[in-house]
Amino acid sequence: MTINSQNQQIEIYDRSKEVKEFDDSKIGVKGLVDSGITTIPRFFVHPPESFPSITTHPNPSDDHHRKEIPIIDLSFVHSHRRTIIIDEIKEASRNWGFFQILNHGVPTDVLDRTISSIKAFNEQSNEIKSKYYGREMGKGIAFSTNFDLFQSKAASWRDTLQMKTGPTPPHFDHIPEICRRELLEWDQQVQLLGETLMGLLSEGLGLEKDKLKEMSCLDSRLMVAHYYPYCPEPERTVGLKSHSDPGVLTVLLQDEIGGLQVKNGEDWIDVKPCSGALVINIGDLLQMISNDEYKSVEHQVVANPFREPRVSSGVFFNPSKREDSYGPLPELVSAEKPAIYKQFTLTDFMRQFFSKELEGKAIDYFKL
Ligand SMILES: O=C(O)CCC(=O)C(=O)O
Ligand SMILES: [Fe+2]
C-alpha cells in the first residue's frame, strides 16, 4: 500500500516480484497449501473475462456432464477385433481427439504404483523436493510449478515433475529415488502401448501399420507427473489452462478425483475417471500430419476443490528427427483434399510452441 499525491491510498502490486519470490521459495503450490493459506496469491487469479472457458468442478446434475468421450476396448487388438478397433479409434480421433482405452495391456499394479509414487514424491518435505526444483531440462528432469510461470498471464494450481524419457532417459541417479523405478516402469509400458496405438492410428489413415513408427514418432518421449493439491479458492483459478498437446500422441493416466475436461463443440465434457483406463489424445503434430483427418482438441483441468490431491501422468510422443520435414503426408493430400498446412521442421515447431504461454492451439501458424 502507498499514498498518492491526492492523499489516496493505492495499492502497488508488483506481479513479477511476487512470482519470482514464490518461484525462489521452491515450495510449489503444495507448499503454499501446507503453509495454511486460505486465499490464493493474486498471480494465480484468472480474470473471468479473459478465461471464459473455465468451468467449475463437475456437477453431475448438469447436462453437459452427461456426454462422454468414447471408451474403446482394446481386447484382441492383434487378432479378430482389430478392424473394429481401428474404426472406433478413427471415429474418436476425428470427432473427439480424445478417447479412453480399456484392456490396453498395462498392468493395473503399474498404474497404481505410478500414482502412489508421484504422490510420495510430492508429499516429501520441502527441503528434499526443493533440490529438484527448477526449469532447466539440462539433466532431462525438472520439478516446478507451471513450466510457463514467467510467460503466463495467470498461474495454475499445480506442481509438475517433468522427465525426458526417450530417446535417452536421464541418468538413473538424477531421477528422485522415491519414484524412480515406478516412473521408468510406467514409461516402459507406455512405450509398448505407444507402438500398438501408432499402428492403429496409421492404419486408420489408410497407411501401412509402421508408417508413424518409421517417421520416428515413437522415439522421443516426455513424461509429466502432475500433482494438483487442494485449492482454497477453486473458482478463481485453474489446475491446467485450456490447451492442446503439441506432439503426436499423449497417453494419460489419471487417478479417481476427476477435473479433466475436453472441448467438444461449445461444451466442456468431463473425462470421467474410469478404473484401469488410460486416456489417449491426438496432438497438434498428428492433426497436421494427417491433414486434419485426426483432431487435436483443447482440454483443461479445473482447480481441485477436494482435500484429497489429484494426480495424473502423461507421456507425450514426439518424432526424434528434428530436422526432417513434417506436414500433411502426401498420401493424404489430393485435389479434393489439398494440404491444409505447410511443411516445417520439428525445431521450427517447438520454437513456435515454446515462444508462447500454454494456451489454446498453436497450429494456426502453420496453416497455408
Ligand atoms: O492432468 C491431466 O489430466 C491433464 C494433463 C495434460 O493435459 C497435459 O499435461 O498436457
Ligand atoms: Fe494436455
Side-chain angles (χ1 to χ4, degrees):
M1 216 58 97
T2 189
I3 309 289
N4 71 4
S5 53
Q6 281 95 46
N7 231 5
Q8 292 160 323
Q9 276 196 341
I10 51 163
E11 193 187 359
I12 306 271
Y13 174 61
D14 188 343
R15 183 176 192 279
S16 33
K17 182 165 167 269
E18 282 214 1
V19 171
K20 185 164 183 324
E21 273 172 13
F22 165 72
D23 199 53
D24 286 348
S25 76
K26 304 185 175 185
I27 64 169
V29 173
K30 164 91 166 69
L32 288 179
V33 177
D34 290 346
S35 73
I37 53 151
T38 51
T39 55
I40 62 174
R42 186 159 155 186
F43 60 88
F44 283 97
V45 176
H46 289 240
E49 66 283 4
S50 55
F51 296 94
S53 60
I54 295 173
T55 57
T56 51
H57 205 269
N59 170 0
S61 63
D62 181 338
D63 253 5
H64 290 169
H65 297 300
R66 294 221 181 100
K67 246 183 178 179
E68 272 187 40
I69 69 162
I71 299 185
I72 300 177
D73 180 355
L74 292 195
S75 308
F76 303 107
V77 67
H78 299 295
S79 56
H80 64 280
R81 290 194 64 249
R82 189 168 185 87
T83 48
I84 299 174
I85 295 172
I86 290 173
D87 282 347
E88 288 179 356
I89 288 189
K90 192 163 106 179
E91 274 305 297
S93 304
R94 179 179 303 204
N95 299 325
W96 285 87
F98 260 82
F99 49 95
Q100 305 214 50
I101 51 172
L102 284 169
N103 299 313
H104 40 64
V106 183
T108 314
D109 54 343
V110 172
L111 305 182
D112 293 345
R113 279 200 289 272
T114 302
I115 296 286
S116 341
S117 73
I118 297 170
K119 255 189 205 159
F121 170 78
N122 283 277
E123 290 169 7
Q124 297 176 105
S125 68
N126 288 334
E127 197 192 335
I128 297 179
K129 267 192 307 183
S130 63
K131 293 196 190 96
Y132 297 96
Y133 197 95
R135 278 154 220 291
E136 286 305 318
M137 282 294 276
K139 287 187 174 162
I141 186 156
F143 171 63
S144 67
T145 299
N146 304 184
F147 79 82
D148 60 347
L149 185 69
F150 292 98
Q151 290 98 311
S152 62
K153 292 186 276 302
S156 305
W157 206 252
R158 176 189 88 252
D159 296 329
T160 303
L161 180 68
Q162 285 196 62
M163 171 159 82
K164 185 129 188 52
T165 50
T168 23
H171 190 288
F172 200 68
D173 295 341
H174 292 152
I175 310 173
E177 196 183 346
I178 198 162
C179 53
R180 190 187 287 158
R181 285 185 194 288
E182 293 80 357
L183 296 187
L184 290 175
E185 189 183 26
W186 163 230
D187 177 62
Q188 224 173 28
Q189 291 289 337
V190 174
Q191 226 179 313
L192 294 174
L193 175 63
E195 178 148 5
T196 302
L197 290 168
M198 285 301 175
L200 296 165
L201 287 161
S202 296
E203 288 185 60
L205 291 170
L207 305 167
E208 290 294 322
K209 172 166 145 280
D210 286 340
K211 180 70 189 183
L212 291 168
K213 181 180 176 184
E214 281 160 9
M215 289 168 70
S216 81
C217 291
L218 281 162
D219 294 353
S220 181
R221 292 182 313 285
L222 177 73
M223 177 186 290
V224 290
H226 298 304
Y227 186 88
Y228 301 85
Y230 161 70
C231 179
E233 294 184 287
E235 63 296 335
R236 301 182 76 204
T237 188
V238 296
L240 180 59
K241 268 176 299 186
S242 152
H243 67 285
S244 62
D245 292 351
V248 174
L249 186 74
T250 305
V251 175
L252 179 86
L253 165 66
Q254 63 166 339
D255 68 8
E256 71 293 349
I257 299 288
L260 171 63
Q261 302 180 330
V262 173
K263 197 158 193 201
N264 185 248
E266 290 311 302
D267 296 334
W268 284 97
I269 309 296
D270 297 320
V271 181
K272 297 214 179 91
C274 174
S275 177
L278 291 169
V279 180
I280 308 300
N281 67 293
I282 305 295
D284 296 339
L285 275 174
L286 188 49
Q287 171 164 350
M288 293 191 279
I289 290 170
S290 74
N291 205 24
D292 274 3
E293 284 299 313
Y294 295 155
K295 304 282 174 1
S296 73
V297 168
E298 285 171 76
H299 49 286
Q300 63 187 9
V301 180
V302 299
N304 179 13
F306 304 116
R307 287 283 166 183
E308 191 61 28
R310 175 177 188 270
V311 170
S312 69
S313 177
V315 177
F316 307 109
F317 285 94
N318 279 300
S320 61
K321 296 180 181 158
R322 294 188 76 90
E323 295 317 316
D324 273 17
S325 187
Y326 294 91
L329 287 173
E331 297 90 319
L332 305 175
V333 172
S334 63
E336 298 78 54
K337 185 132 196 250
I340 299 168
Y341 305 95
K342 54 188 171 194
Q343 300 284 321
F344 50 84
T345 64
L346 205 58
T347 305
D348 294 341
F349 178 73
M350 288 302 173
R351 192 181 302 123
Q352 174 61 18
F353 181 78
F354 286 108
S355 66
K356 60 186 247 334
E357 72 174 296
L358 181 71
E359 192 182 22
K361 280 183 80 161
I363 66 177
D364 283 352
Y365 179 84
F366 297 98
K367 277 204 166 133
L368 278 169

